[in-house]
Amino acid sequence: MKVYLESFGCSASLASAEIMKASVERLGHELLGPAAAAEAEVYICNSCTVKYTTEQKILYKVRSMGEKGVQVIVSGCMPEVQLEDILHANPEAHILGVNAISRLGELLSLIERRMAEGLPAGGYLELRTSEPLGFLNVPRERSNPNIHICQISQGCNFACSYCIVKNARGKLRSFPPEDIVKDIRSAVAEGCREIWLTSQDDSQYGMDTGVKLPKLLCMISEIPEDFKVRVGMMNPFSVLPILDELVDAFDSDKVFKLLHLPIQSASHSVLKRMNRLHKMDAVDEIITKFRTRFEDLSLFTDIIVGFCDETDEDFEETVEWVKKYRPEKINISRYSPRPHTKAFSFRNLDSRISVQRSHALHKVCEQIKLGSKQEMIGWKGRVFVSKYTEMGDVLTRTDAYRPVVISGSGLKPGEYANVEITGAKPGYFMGKLIG
């Protein structure tokens, strides 16, 4: 069969998509690219339900593909929490549970049998598993052959009032550390030189088993060969209990000095309504300890603007925090009410206020980025070659994960080089080799 797979959402979702693509090809089906999507007999939608706009885009694709006579499979988070919406859009859409990516082949075989025998659709097929299976040590069709995305756990033990993902992925289940190390060791042997650790919250890893994230990072750092590890998002309230050990683990030469610490808001009243279990003095402690140990640290954060009953004063607290700590990257989202969450029943702000605040915060962030980029021009130091660009140049990373593109160098992924940053583009720096 001709199969087209489209994935939405986070890096964990992307990792699942890579595994499912490999499964499609391993079974002898033809995996189509976006340009050939119109030829598909089967459309796999690896869904995300974090934002309303994404949800609506997915429901449109599920409906329109079904109307064209294409067999539709919906995987990812949406089937766990919005099954009725999916089946309303397409009553014949088949369902693959978020934990059941290893059963895709089974589902494709059932669909193929129906098509070969000319049987009527007969309603949707649904395959699920209660525990996550097939996320590690399985073949992948990687989006980039030099980058391996390793999901280290499934689910979350906390309950932010706005978050639907907890309902979709369930309680925290950390994958065995020895399986993770084996998975990464195999990826490195296959030529991957950049490893992304991903989950709903990396710093929760091991809270249910005993082997915490710092220990896991030490185990990964012991794998031979040259590669770098990018640790994914970590919530302040789950970082704090392991802070000292985590800073020590980041001291490894194999770990990028990148701290992705979502605050969502700097207002304590908003954080309380969000059920975010941290105070801003804890955020300050975390950032201070990381910046004290690693002078050249990149700070990423996530912020939600326009959360229920957010006042002008609440928003200004967040803006002032951004100006003080100057993160290199801020993922800004306008609050989007999600079904089955506690915040769904809260009173929402006028959407025009959210739009205004989003624009204002984006403007502040752009000013900070511009200043930071100018400060980096002339910087000299060691970089790690991550991957080739579409233009045939190489994308390198500083120890703090800042992207530097080098042209005409002959460098290969996995190598180190000394460079000087000579200019800045909107999404990266330009550099040249130095002795």
Side-chain angles (χ1 to χ4, degrees):
M1 295 186 296
K2 294 182 177 182
V3 180
Y4 174 56
L5 189 152
E6 188 172 22
S7 190
F8 299 83
C10 63
S11 55
S13 181
L14 178 57
S16 293
E18 292 180 348
I19 293 168
M20 289 190 288
K21 285 180 178 180
S23 180
V24 169
E25 293 189 321
R26 192 168 64 253
L27 291 167
H29 301 295
E30 183 180 354
L31 186 64
L32 304 176
E39 303 173 16
E41 298 171 278
V42 178
Y43 170 60
I44 303 173
C45 178
N46 193 36
S47 66
C48 172
T49 184
V50 170
K51 295 181 180 180
Y52 175 78
T53 51
T54 305
E55 167 206 299
Q56 292 301 301
K57 185 185 298 183
I58 289 168
L59 292 176
Y60 170 77
K61 294 297 289 284
V62 168
R63 180 185 299 109
S64 60
M65 283 294 202
E67 290 172 347
K68 295 175 183 176
V70 177
Q71 295 287 319
V72 174
I73 298 174
V74 184
S75 60
C77 286
M78 276 190 73
E80 306 299 326
V81 286
Q82 293 177 282
L83 180 60
E84 290 184 3
D85 293 332
I86 293 169
L87 296 180
H88 179 73
N90 182 349
E92 305 297 334
H94 309 297
I95 303 302
L96 187 69
V98 72
N99 290 325
I101 59 173
S102 62
R103 300 187 69 184
L104 175 60
E106 183 182 343
L107 184 54
L108 287 172
S109 296
L110 290 171
I111 293 171
E112 188 174 32
R113 189 178 310 143
R114 280 188 177 184
M115 294 174 63
E117 295 176 0
L119 297 174
Y124 73 95
L125 301 168
E126 184 173 6
L127 294 181
R128 299 182 185 272
T129 57
S130 59
E131 294 296 319
L133 300 172
F135 289 85
L136 296 173
N137 297 298
V138 290
R140 295 169 183 258
E141 180 66 32
R142 295 186 178 93
S143 300
N144 187 298
N146 297 307
I147 296 176
H148 178 70
I149 308 172
C150 179
Q151 184 173 340
I152 61 176
S153 67
Q154 180 82 297
C156 173
N157 275 350
F158 297 92
C160 298
S161 65
Y162 55 82
C163 181
I164 191 173
V165 179
K166 168 63 181 287
N167 298 332
R169 294 187 181 252
K171 66 180 182 180
L172 176 69
R173 283 155 294 183
S174 300
F175 299 155
E178 59 273 15
D179 290 350
I180 293 170
V181 171
K182 181 181 177 182
D183 184 73
I184 294 172
R185 190 186 296 272
S186 296
V188 172
E190 292 169 8
C192 295
R193 292 297 176 257
E194 189 171 317
I195 308 297
W196 295 1
L197 302 186
T198 188
S199 64
Q200 281 66 71
D201 178 2
D202 277 8
S203 47
Q204 281 187 51
Y205 178 80
M207 287 185 175
D208 56 331
T209 61
V211 177
K212 305 289 181 64
L213 180 63
K215 175 61 177 176
L216 177 66
L217 288 175
C218 291
M219 294 171 66
I220 294 170
S221 294
E222 292 173 358
I223 298 173
E225 304 296 337
D226 287 329
F227 65 94
K228 286 281 195 177
V229 177
R230 189 188 82 171
V231 180
M233 183 272 288
M234 301 183 291
N235 279 308
F237 44 80
S238 53
V239 167
L240 207 57
I242 59 171
L243 178 56
D244 291 338
E245 296 89 346
L246 188 62
V247 172
D248 288 343
F250 264 68
D251 214 3
S252 167
D253 188 54
K254 289 185 175 177
V255 179
F256 283 117
K257 309 313 181 256
L258 166 64
L259 176 63
H260 185 176
L261 194 73
I263 65 163
Q264 306 302 1
S265 172
S267 163
H268 283 152
S269 60
V270 174
L271 290 173
K272 185 176 181 180
R273 288 193 295 276
M274 288 179 168
N275 200 33
R276 299 279 292 171
L277 305 180
H278 69 266
K279 303 289 186 182
M280 295 311 294
D281 58 350
V283 173
D284 177 78
E285 180 183 353
I286 294 167
I287 295 173
T288 298
K289 284 200 174 183
F290 267 91
R291 283 181 168 171
T292 299
R293 179 74 71 89
F294 311 112
E295 183 178 351
D296 188 24
L297 175 83
S298 285
L299 174 65
F300 290 3
T301 195
D302 302 350
I303 292 175
I304 296 173
V305 298
F307 189 70
C308 311
D309 290 328
E310 181 188 64
T311 65
D312 289 339
E313 291 75 17
D314 293 328
F315 177 66
E316 283 304 317
E317 285 187 68
T318 300
V319 172
E320 290 305 312
W321 184 90
V322 168
K323 290 178 179 178
K324 178 180 178 181
Y325 288 94
R326 299 171 62 84
E328 276 79 6
K329 181 179 179 182
I330 302 179
N331 300 313
I332 302 171
S333 300
R334 295 196 295 270
Y335 172 62
S336 177
R338 306 309 298 132
H340 314 298
T341 64
K342 184 177 180 180
F344 193 68
S345 63
F346 294 176
R347 184 180 65 181
N348 295 323
L349 294 184
D350 186 316
S351 60
R352 291 171 295 183
I353 296 175
S354 297
V355 170
Q356 290 170 357
R357 290 177 182 170
S358 176
H359 289 166
L361 187 54
H362 272 290
K363 186 175 181 179
V364 171
C365 293
E366 287 305 313
Q367 291 171 344
I368 290 172
K369 275 190 200 176
L370 184 62
S372 298
K373 284 184 178 295
Q374 292 303 313
E375 292 170 5
M376 284 295 294
I377 294 176
W379 177 91
K380 298 177 181 179
R382 190 182 73 157
V383 295
F384 181 79
V385 183
S386 172
K387 62 181 182 180
Y388 296 108
T389 70
E390 293 180 358
M391 301 300 293
D393 302 323
V394 290
L395 175 67
T396 71
R397 298 278 185 180
T398 70
D399 282 347
Y401 202 65
R402 295 186 181 94
V404 183
V405 173
I406 311 294
S407 299
S409 64
L411 294 170
K412 298 178 181 179
E415 295 180 343
Y416 286 93
N418 292 314
V419 305
E420 177 182 352
I421 292 178
T422 57
K425 298 287 186 179
Y428 58 91
F429 295 98
M430 298 298 297
K432 66 177 182 180
L433 295 176
I434 58 176

